[in-house]
Amino acid sequence: MVMNNTSSFLKSLVDIECVKFGDFTLKSGKKSPIYIDLRNIVSYPKMLAELSVFFETHISKEIQRICGVPYAALPMATAVSINTNLPMLIKRKEAKNYGTKKIVEGEFKKGDKVLLIEDVITSGESLLETITELESEGLAIEQILVVLDREQGGSDRLKAKGYEVQSLFTISSLIKILFEDGKIEEKLYHDVLNFIHDSQITTPVVKSKKKLAKTHPNAIGQQLLNIAHAKKSNLIASVDLTTSKEVLDFLAKVGSGICAVKLHVDIITDFSHDFVLELRSIAQKHNFLIIEDRKFADIGNTQLLQLSKGIYSIASWADMVTIHLIAGEASLKAIQDWDTDKKPGLIPIIEMSSQGALTDKHYMDNCKKFMYKYSDVLGGVCQTFEIDTPFLKFTPGVNLASKGDDKGQQYNTPEFVIETLRSDFLIIGRGLYASTQPEVEIEKYLAAVRSCDIY
Ligand code: 5BU
């Protein structure tokens, strides 16, 4: 029989150094008087068992499956599963290879009600990531229990998204008990309280598409923003398929969920004028725009020829094109000065997603010096680089199930791209078109981006 006593349990956390006091420098560079890392509990089975009893008193009757947020909460979830006889699921943390590994291990059916267990909640980021992945597998998040709430805003953030987080302990209840039991001095007690007060994580302000459309300087940019707002989708499907039929069939399946398609027209083996007509017709039917990812990178005169001539005659059908700024301001100005009826909006590539990309800070800062001067420019393609409002940030390298490929591509999750990189538009290639059921897969991406309140 495991005895349960809050005060003795919390004091033991200090004894086994899961909670430490001192002068710590956090990853952010900020100083902290307290350090919490509950992973060490695995070395103390009796404490793990005790923790499980704390959890058990809170578990809702509806729960059908238990899942721990990897890794710290995995042994905790295991202990609860053994004690309650509720089956457990494991959500993988590591990169998933296409088609070979499942993201969730264990038996379950769609709609199963899950208890999610986490050790510590700070910003709520890892919980949100796990929630998105479990929900994309059809599981229902019924209850969320965490051992310790750092009270820095994470649970409020989850609440705003409709998830209630219950915590066994809060950092202030922890230090109050330790102070009352004479385990810490009064000064330290107040230092920790002040630290909590000063360390609130503010929810990122995601730019509303509707508001942006009102101030965006470019008509095509406004159109894109209005479509994103109307369809509640900031997803751009990058269709790197190599026949007209494959491209059009794919777009028939995902067209209703995207605000734009991005093509590499030079990889389409049977490119023709008819293809362009069909493409424009399907784009009109489903209300999305067309981006040609041509990545122009030449002197002004050549770029104008590449835009307007040749078998592709890109400017005649593309709503937007990508362009490198490597050739300098004059090359960009040449397009801006081009007087023609049909000119695509320009999306400069500021920073690339691939490993070892040469688009360093110096390069990006140089792009910034002139790109905003030109009204044909909609914004930029980038990762960490910040685009000035009301210009738009486009980010490729987005995938729910993979961290990268073996050719240098690097992926982030949609939530990370929106909330941390603060991107306006997400470009998704293989995450969608390599799926056997893109029409099902796109719903997962839509659920992820819609959970970020971007409209
Ligand atoms: P993926 O299958 O999601 O990896 O495809 C990404 C697409 O975005 C692909 O067409 C690339 O050419 C494109 N891309 C990119 O991945 N990274 C970049 O920095 C730029 C474009 Br710019």
Side-chain angles (χ1 to χ4, degrees):
M1 173 75 184
V2 179
M3 291 296 292
N4 234 27
N5 177 309
T6 305
S7 166
S8 75
F9 180 80
L10 293 179
K11 279 191 278 183
S12 307
L13 285 182
V14 180
D15 296 336
I16 66 168
E17 298 200 327
C18 282
V19 176
K20 289 194 255 186
F21 296 97
D23 193 10
F24 304 98
T25 307
L26 304 177
K27 258 192 260 167
S28 60
K30 203 176 156 62
K31 297 269 186 215
S32 167
I34 186 167
Y35 180 83
I36 298 165
D37 182 352
L38 300 187
R39 275 171 285 204
N40 219 25
I41 285 189
V42 291
S43 305
Y44 298 86
K46 277 202 181 117
M47 286 194 65
L48 197 56
E50 229 179 313
L51 184 61
S52 170
V53 177
F54 282 117
F55 275 127
E56 284 155 39
T57 55
H58 291 84
I59 301 177
S60 139
K61 287 191 187 69
E62 308 289 312
I63 297 301
Q64 293 166 301
R65 293 288 182 274
I66 296 180
C67 182
V69 177
Y71 291 104
L74 290 185
M76 298 172 186
T78 312
V80 177
S81 168
I82 291 168
N83 286 347
T84 56
N85 202 28
L86 282 164
M88 189 170 132
L89 298 171
I90 294 179
K91 195 214 59 102
R92 285 183 178 276
K93 191 183 170 78
E94 59 275 7
K96 196 183 98 171
N97 296 324
Y98 280 103
T100 56
K101 282 181 191 157
K102 288 183 282 184
I103 197 89
V104 178
E105 301 289 350
E107 290 177 12
F108 65 93
K109 52 184 191 319
K110 287 203 186 318
D112 274 354
K113 293 180 176 156
V114 177
L115 162 64
L116 196 53
I117 288 183
E118 172 67 306
D119 63 336
V120 177
I121 176 166
T122 308
S123 70
E125 194 61 46
S126 39
L127 261 174
L128 280 171
E129 202 175 296
T130 306
I131 291 171
T132 308
E133 286 177 333
L134 293 181
E135 286 185 337
S136 71
E137 294 296 315
L139 289 157
I141 306 299
E142 177 72 18
Q143 193 178 18
I144 303 169
L145 287 175
V146 306
V147 182
L148 190 82
D149 188 341
R150 294 188 68 118
E151 298 169 291
Q152 285 173 233
S155 28
D156 287 343
R157 189 169 166 213
L158 267 98
K159 194 170 187 171
K161 290 174 187 289
Y163 303 100
E164 196 70 42
V165 176
Q166 294 168 265
S167 58
L168 301 182
F169 315 106
T170 60
I171 206 167
S172 48
S173 71
L174 163 81
I175 56 159
K176 187 162 185 281
I177 287 175
L178 294 178
F179 171 53
E180 285 169 357
D181 285 0
K183 196 98 177 158
I184 60 169
E185 299 288 321
E186 187 167 0
K187 179 175 180 320
L188 183 54
Y189 172 59
H190 288 293
D191 283 352
V192 177
L193 286 183
N194 288 337
F195 169 75
I196 302 169
H197 181 263
D198 295 343
S199 313
Q200 292 302 306
I201 295 161
T202 46
T203 309
V205 185
V206 183
K207 293 172 263 175
S208 143
K209 301 284 173 285
K210 202 175 172 187
K211 269 194 208 154
L212 275 175
K214 291 199 180 116
T215 48
H216 192 70
N218 181 289
I220 299 165
Q222 287 169 10
Q223 212 183 332
L224 181 67
L225 286 160
N226 285 326
I227 293 175
H229 175 68
K231 292 174 92 172
K232 288 202 180 323
S233 168
N234 62 349
L235 302 181
I236 297 176
S238 173
V239 192
D240 301 333
L241 295 164
T242 56
T243 64
S244 308
K245 184 174 180 329
E246 284 173 306
V247 173
L248 297 169
D249 285 352
F250 172 79
L251 288 174
K253 290 181 189 157
V254 302
S256 60
I258 58 174
C259 59
V261 62
K262 184 182 79 63
L263 299 173
H264 286 289
V265 82
D266 54 354
I267 63 172
I268 300 175
T269 48
D270 58 344
F271 177 84
S272 67
H273 183 62
D274 284 349
F275 166 70
V276 170
L277 291 179
E278 285 190 64
L279 179 66
R280 288 234 59 100
S281 140
I282 196 164
Q284 198 171 10
K285 178 177 168 207
H286 290 293
N287 192 24
F288 61 79
L289 298 182
I290 303 170
I291 305 173
E292 164 51 26
D293 193 4
R294 172 62 180 76
K295 298 187 174 71
F296 296 96
D298 216 314
I299 58 166
N301 189 58
T302 305
Q303 290 189 147
L304 292 186
L305 292 169
Q306 289 168 328
L307 259 168
S308 57
K309 306 288 179 192
I311 52 168
Y312 302 122
S313 152
I314 294 167
S316 70
W317 52 265
D319 297 305
M320 292 160 269
V321 294
T322 56
I323 172 171
H324 282 293
L325 299 182
I326 187 81
E329 184 169 358
S331 285
L332 178 62
K333 186 170 180 298
I335 301 182
Q336 176 79 46
D337 292 346
W338 181 29
D339 189 16
T340 173
D341 291 344
K342 177 86 182 73
K343 188 163 38 159
L346 304 178
I347 313 178
I349 293 159
I350 316 295
E351 182 186 16
M352 293 200 66
S353 62
S354 43
Q355 215 172 8
L358 302 182
T359 46
D360 59 9
K361 186 168 181 316
H362 180 70
Y363 178 80
M364 296 193 273
D365 285 343
N366 277 331
C367 293
K368 198 175 171 172
K369 281 183 193 154
F370 62 87
M371 61 181 256
Y372 297 130
K373 283 199 266 173
Y374 297 93
S375 62
D376 283 345
V377 168
L378 269 68
V381 182
C382 46
Q383 303 288 317
T384 57
F385 181 79
E386 286 212 22
I387 294 283
D388 293 357
T389 309
F391 291 91
L392 308 175
K393 177 162 173 170
F394 296 80
T395 301
V398 185
N399 199 303
L400 270 172
S402 167
K403 297 267 180 250
D405 63 15
D406 59 357
K407 299 179 185 71
Q409 177 65 302
Q410 306 177 110
Y411 291 122
N412 287 305
T413 62
E415 288 224 347
F416 181 82
V417 174
I418 293 179
E419 295 197 338
T420 305
L421 301 182
R422 298 194 184 201
S423 192
D424 298 302
F425 292 95
L426 277 54
I427 299 173
I428 300 146
R430 283 162 283 183
L432 287 176
Y433 75 78
S435 164
T436 48
Q437 285 184 297
E439 65 279 24
V440 175
E441 202 61 23
I442 194 163
E443 293 303 325
K444 299 181 191 172
Y445 284 87
L446 283 170
V449 298
R450 285 172 182 164
S451 75
C452 300
D453 318 318
I454 43 173
Y455 307 98

